Amino acid sequence: MTILCADTGIGKSIFAVQIAEEIARSGHKVLYLDLELSDKQFEGRYSENYTNHYKFSDNLIRVDFDPDNYTIPDGYTYDDYFIKSLEEAIQEAGADVVVIDNMTALSFADTDGAKNAKPLMDRLNRLKKERNLTMLVLEHTRKTEAGRPISLNDLQGSKMKANFADAVFMIGRSTRDKNLRYVKQVKCRSAEQEYDANNVLLYEVCKKNGNFLSFEFHNYSKESDHLQLLSDDDTAARKARARELKAGGMSNVAIAKELGVSEGTVRYYLKNG
């Protein structure tokens, strides 16, 4: 069980769908339980203005659970009925990988405290073991101060959730560019923690091929490089470097990776240098 957490609006769902699609294309049956987006919102992310839709792998099954459209049977609590419905969906899909987006909507009760979160995590762990599943569960982080490194302490609610997880990774927003995100490991039980503060993964959020909203990998970086705003002198130096690299024949994409900014920012540098 892995927890992916980030602040609202960072792109947890975008990254999770991308992960799910990659796993599905490798041959695994993946059940994506979407408790966040409507069908129309999802369509908008994976199409060009609702045309030229991206073709997902047949192994990726996306389902939702809207309690307003279901009648909970007598004798069931919301949590009981949810887990029962999830088990049935896993069985029907033949899934061995489950993505839950997100944990906040899993329970009728507030899961920020250990009292309510522990029974839910217990049941998910039991389901994982009984069906030999791999689970990716999305969760929010607390509001954090700009310029401060993200850590396990930022996981919304009880840290007890992290105790149940085999791994936890987080997404941070770069102050260098509005479209840049970095991914950082904060817990890894069964392998070496490779992507720590000194070696985060740097991505740009963009629409690949016009119809697939995704995280495009740039390079590796230090978290500290993305916590402080650039000074005017720093920005001027980057603009000059961008022009220099362009004059040397380098593409905008390559320049973006070299400077640790998005391609859109490179275009802006070159146009407004």
Side-chain angles (χ1 to χ4, degrees):
M1 182 184 290
T2 295
I3 295 177
L4 164 60
C5 47
D7 197 0
T8 302
I10 294 290
K12 293 186 296 297
S13 298
I14 297 169
F15 201 35
V17 169
Q18 186 174 349
I19 291 170
E21 171 69 351
E22 288 289 334
I23 294 173
R25 288 194 177 275
S26 74
H28 290 273
K29 287 282 189 180
V30 182
L31 179 72
Y32 193 100
L33 181 59
D34 196 337
L35 306 174
E36 284 282 301
L37 298 180
S38 67
D39 290 342
K40 201 67 178 175
Q41 289 171 323
F42 188 85
E43 181 187 3
R45 287 186 173 185
Y46 302 103
S47 65
E48 289 185 277
N49 295 320
Y50 301 98
T51 63
N52 185 28
H53 295 77
Y54 175 80
K55 178 66 171 68
F56 283 94
S57 167
D58 292 337
N59 287 327
L60 178 60
I61 300 97
R62 175 181 171 269
V63 297
D64 60 14
F65 182 88
D66 184 355
D68 294 333
N69 292 333
Y70 295 88
T71 301
I72 299 177
D74 292 339
Y76 281 89
T77 64
Y78 172 88
D79 294 8
D80 290 337
Y81 187 54
F82 182 92
I83 294 295
K84 178 178 182 294
S85 299
L86 178 58
E87 285 187 283
E88 290 174 352
I90 293 169
Q91 179 71 29
E92 184 176 346
D96 58 348
V97 178
V98 178
V99 181
I100 299 175
D101 184 7
N102 62 60
M103 191 183 296
T104 305
L106 281 179
S107 175
F108 188 77
D110 184 356
T111 61
D112 281 358
K115 179 181 178 181
N116 295 323
K118 186 178 185 304
L120 176 60
M121 295 301 293
D122 274 332
R123 297 179 80 166
L124 288 178
N125 251 318
R126 193 178 310 122
L127 184 60
K128 177 196 74 172
K129 292 174 181 177
E130 288 174 354
R131 294 187 173 272
N132 195 28
L133 300 170
T134 294
M135 281 188 173
L136 175 63
V137 182
L138 278 60
E139 179 59 297
H140 296 298
T141 58
R142 300 186 181 94
K143 292 291 182 182
T144 59
E145 298 175 10
R148 184 174 66 76
I150 51 179
S151 72
L152 197 58
N153 291 328
D154 296 319
L155 178 61
Q156 181 168 289
S158 171
K159 280 183 65 177
M160 179 277 307
K161 295 174 184 175
N163 294 335
F164 278 87
D166 300 294
V168 182
F169 64 107
M170 309 181 78
I171 305 173
R173 190 194 303 272
S174 173
T175 58
R176 298 294 172 90
D177 190 294
K178 66 178 183 179
N179 293 320
L180 288 184
R181 305 288 187 270
Y182 66 88
V183 174
K184 177 183 179 181
Q185 282 180 307
V186 293
K187 178 181 178 179
C188 192
R189 182 176 287 160
S190 57
E192 182 181 354
Q193 190 167 318
E194 185 176 355
Y195 305 110
D196 58 12
N198 293 315
N199 189 41
V200 295
L201 297 153
L202 186 63
Y203 295 89
E204 178 182 358
V205 180
C206 58
K207 263 205 171 178
K208 191 174 182 180
N209 299 323
N211 65 358
F212 188 78
L213 191 60
S214 61
F215 277 43
E216 188 75 13
F217 178 70
H218 268 224
N219 50 33
Y220 305 95
S221 186
K222 290 185 177 180
E223 183 180 24
S224 58
D225 291 341
H226 302 278
L227 300 179
Q228 297 178 350
L229 292 170
L230 292 173
S231 68
D232 291 341
D233 288 343
D234 290 333
T235 301
R238 288 191 174 218
K239 286 182 178 180
R241 181 60 175 158
R243 293 194 300 273
E244 179 185 337
L245 294 173
K246 190 66 176 180
M250 189 176 285
S251 70
N252 287 3
V253 172
I255 295 171
K257 291 182 178 181
E258 174 73 18
L259 299 182
V261 297
S262 70
E263 186 183 354
T265 293
V266 170
R267 291 196 298 269
Y268 174 80
Y269 284 171
L270 297 175
K271 182 178 179 182
N272 299 279

